[in-house]
Amino acid sequence: MSGTWMTTRAWLLMLPLLMVMVAVIGWPLVDTVGLSFTDAKLVGTAGNFVGIDNYTKMLSSSNFSRTLVTTTWFAVASVAIEMVIGVLAALLLNQEFRGRTFLRALMILPWALPTVVNATLWRLIYNPEYGALNGALTQLHLIDAYRSWLGEPGTALAALIIADCWKNFPLVALIALAALQAVPRDITAASLVDGAGPFARFRFVILPYLAGPLMVALVLRTIEAFKVFDIIWVMTRGGPANSTRTLSILVYQEAFSFQRAGSGASLALIVTLLVTVLALAYAALVKKTAGSAT
Amino acid sequence: MSALEIRDISKNYGAIETLKGIDIALESGEFLVLLGSSGCGKSTLLNIIAGLAEATSGEVLIGGRSVLGVHPKNRDIAMVFQSYALYPNLTVHRNIGFGLEMRKVPVAERDKAVRDAAKLLQIEPLLDRKPGQLSGGQRQRVAIGRALVRKPQVFLFDEPLSNLDAKLRLEMRTELKRLHQMLQTTVVYVTHDQIEAMTLATRIAVMRDGRIEQLGTPEEIYNYPATLYVAGFVGAPSMNMLQAVVEDGRLAIAGSDVSLPLPAGFRNAAPNGAPVIVGIRPEALRLATGTATEFPLPVEIDVVELTGPELVTTARIGNQRLTACLPPRARVAKGEPCAFTFDEDALRLFDPATGKAFETAR
């Protein structure tokens, strides 16, 4: 069979999928790029060409910069906490004890829950009138009166970060747990004989085997955290006083709440660009980590 | 005072008894090889000595001190693993010095110890490399270096040469022998390779099913195997085992007309009419020359294999098989009858019921 026919056949086999991808990703993307150079509203006329006005307005607006800071803060804090708790949970679940398998299965539960369910659950916990958190903290005499954790700009973002961490740390823990199983027993034994304590053992024996897989988890979680929408929309809708408004929420508000499709599209493309840069930087980092872990 | 003493060590995993009452005492400078097939408990015993596994009962003493419940790092031991177990992200220098680094030995002292060990093992040019950049043999040298710098009371080796190719294994074996002769360290070495055991050990403990089948010098193990298992396990090709019966001071080989004179040393050990197994090493057999003083063993040649230094010849004696290692130029051919002979003191007799050797005056 000739190479040309093989190539043609490969393209033919991929054609249906390519057509679907062009229809659901390619065409909307091109349309969004076109839209971002117009002043089109969500309903009504197609809008007039305004050049890069949407971009310059958006990038110079204080709304955008404030939202970018909020998004970055949310992504950095939640991913960092998830990584630490995930690795600690994995180290714990890698020990031998009775009920380990049950606990491993139980740990996946928050991650398996749909985000909307998770968000609703945490709204109940944070409820200012009958929430479990208020109840617990009052009974422990840590606060005097019930507070509206999601209603105060000072605590809303932190409350969201906790809810997001609870949902997503199991993914990190699962990846770390799989990596821990790959640490050769002999090396752990050698480090025991060599006199390495728990910290030295983690640093010199375990971490080299964890670094690669953890980097993948870091990439996945950072990109997801940067694009976060659902958990925030269900819990705070970006409020109070825009204190939990992330870039995806801003895109939604711009395009659908204020019905400014043109500037909404330009903002969506800016977010896409930021995430792409992040993904490329991480991809390079993963490649470097994988290369050095031999 | 023994450098290492193992007292009545047993180890159970649930209902499975992995070790059954092991007793060994090792003097300083001895090289003990724990020899046995997979699953015999040799690595478990080594791990118990190292403190990486706990014994169900019994005691281990290192330098006269009981190490029951003592952490591996405080047992004054160093261990070399089959998989080398090097830290992949540390340089060779740091790998070798890791144990000293963990013990907070000053940098200058540590550096000197690492360089001395590297010089001894001829790996000085590799000190700045990472394990991933080394060959198998170089990695094993680094692993040995890591054990050497610690200057422990006892060195433990867990099948250290198993991952190397045949040529490198031979080189490293000689290297280990040289190191032991030079440093006179106390070593416990686990292997399933009987050649390694024979060449390196000052004493060998042949293990089987969690017990020590025989503990002795390589010469004792090879020439005076205490059981059929030891006789069959040590030596390649294995010792010939011929079924026979003691009849009027002779050994009648079963399934043939051949009978051999019962060596004088066994006359009181094996009673008349008793079935026995006659053990004779293939290396002890040679072609009969027909002189009156030798006792011929008539056989029919079955298979002849030239290995280079010798002619491994399989022959039939009645319905039993016999292997002989003859000189490469020996005149034997398949299907031809001929006669082997041997020195009387090369014969060993075993009780087929117990598998134990009949004692003889050596």
Side-chain angles (χ1 to χ4, degrees), chain B residues 13-161:
Chain B
Y13 289 102
I16 301 163
E17 283 183 274
T18 313
L19 292 174
K20 303 163 187 168
I22 304 285
D23 282 295
I24 304 172
L26 213 58
E27 295 307 315
S28 179
E30 272 201 271
F31 197 123
L32 174 77
V33 172
L34 301 175
L35 176 67
S37 52
S38 296
C40 73
K42 54 191 190 301
S43 287
T44 307
L45 182 59
L46 197 76
N47 284 335
I48 288 172
I49 299 170
L52 298 170
E54 256 181 65
T56 308
S57 65
E59 202 177 12
V60 176
L61 288 88
I62 296 173
R65 176 179 70 114
S66 171
V67 289
L68 199 73
V70 176
H71 191 276
K73 68 175 178 182
N74 298 324
R75 290 192 171 207
D76 205 7
I77 49 131
M79 193 159 172
V80 178
F81 296 85
Q82 180 179 350
S83 64
Y84 325 122
L86 300 178
Y87 309 115
N89 57 329
L90 302 185
T91 60
V92 168
H93 190 292
R94 278 194 80 187
N95 258 287
I96 295 177
F98 191 75
L100 302 179
E101 189 180 332
M102 292 299 111
R103 284 167 173 78
K104 311 250 184 307
V105 173
V107 176
E109 197 181 322
R110 197 162 75 213
D111 182 62
K112 187 182 176 309
V114 170
R115 288 187 187 282
D116 285 350
K119 194 174 172 187
L120 196 66
L121 292 159
Q122 296 151 18
I123 49 171
E124 277 175 299
L126 311 176
L127 284 176
D128 294 326
R129 293 202 198 162
K130 297 251 177 98
Q133 298 166 299
L134 305 179
S135 68
Q138 289 169 332
R139 286 183 205 191
Q140 196 52 281
R141 279 169 195 268
V142 176
I144 293 168
R146 186 170 63 182
L148 280 183
V149 287
R150 296 256 320 279
K151 295 193 170 66
Q153 184 118 0
V154 181
F155 285 89
L156 307 175
F157 288 83
D158 190 3
E159 308 225 20
L161 308 184

Side-chain angles (χ1 to χ4, degrees), chain B residues 147-209:
Chain B
L148 280 183
V149 287
R150 296 256 320 279
K151 295 193 170 66
Q153 184 118 0
V154 181
F155 285 89
L156 307 175
F157 288 83
D158 190 3
E159 308 225 20
L161 308 184
S162 298
N163 282 9
L164 304 178
D165 63 47
K167 186 169 172 283
L168 214 49
R169 200 179 311 156
L170 193 71
E171 275 176 35
M172 283 305 293
R173 205 174 72 200
T174 312
E175 186 76 17
L176 282 174
K177 185 90 180 171
R178 181 179 72 85
L179 282 172
H180 182 249
Q181 282 170 351
M182 194 185 336
L183 304 170
Q184 287 298 306
T185 46
T186 310
V187 176
V188 181
Y189 186 106
V190 162
T191 184
H192 62 267
D193 184 333
Q194 38 138 338
I195 305 288
E196 263 173 45
M198 291 297 290
T199 50
L200 290 170
T202 54
R203 273 200 296 166
I204 298 174
V206 182
M207 292 184 66
R208 183 196 186 191
D209 294 338

Side-chain angles (χ1 to χ4, degrees), chain A residues 45-211:
Chain A
T45 59
N48 304 311
F49 181 75
V50 292
I52 58 165
D53 272 9
N54 286 332
Y55 289 92
T56 49
K57 267 188 209 157
M58 206 39 85
L59 289 171
S60 58
S61 81
S62 60
N63 259 353
F64 175 77
S65 51
R66 259 209 340 255
T67 309
L68 185 62
V69 170
T70 308
T71 311
T72 310
W73 177 229
F74 176 87
V76 170
S78 61
V79 172
I81 295 168
E82 282 160 26
M83 297 302 269
V84 173
I85 297 178
V87 171
L88 287 176
L91 286 171
L92 203 68
L93 290 173
N94 198 40
Q95 305 298 315
E96 286 195 18
F97 58 89
R98 277 174 74 93
R100 181 174 73 163
T101 313
F102 173 71
L103 218 58
R104 280 181 181 177
L106 198 69
M107 184 195 66
I108 304 171
L109 204 62
W111 187 56
L113 281 179
T115 308
V116 177
V117 176
N118 177 53
T120 312
L121 193 141
W122 278 95
R123 271 183 66 169
L124 289 173
I125 293 172
Y126 291 138
N127 190 289
E129 283 150 26
Y130 50 81
L133 182 67
N134 276 320
L137 293 179
T138 316
Q139 281 170 35
L140 291 168
H141 303 293
L142 292 172
I143 53 171
D144 299 327
Y146 277 31
R147 289 177 62 174
S148 175
W149 302 102
L150 293 175
E152 295 170 23
T155 55
L157 190 62
L160 278 177
I161 289 171
I162 292 171
D164 189 65
C165 288
W166 188 79
K167 172 161 173 60
N168 287 310
F169 92 87
L171 174 71
V172 180
L174 270 185
I175 292 173
L177 191 59
L180 282 177
Q181 325 248 311
V183 178
R185 282 178 65 114
D186 275 2
I187 297 197
T188 314
S191 70
L192 282 173
V193 174
D194 275 338
F199 289 109
R201 205 153 60 242
F202 180 76
R203 191 175 151 205
F204 296 112
V205 180
I206 296 171
L207 203 55
Y209 288 90
L210 272 185

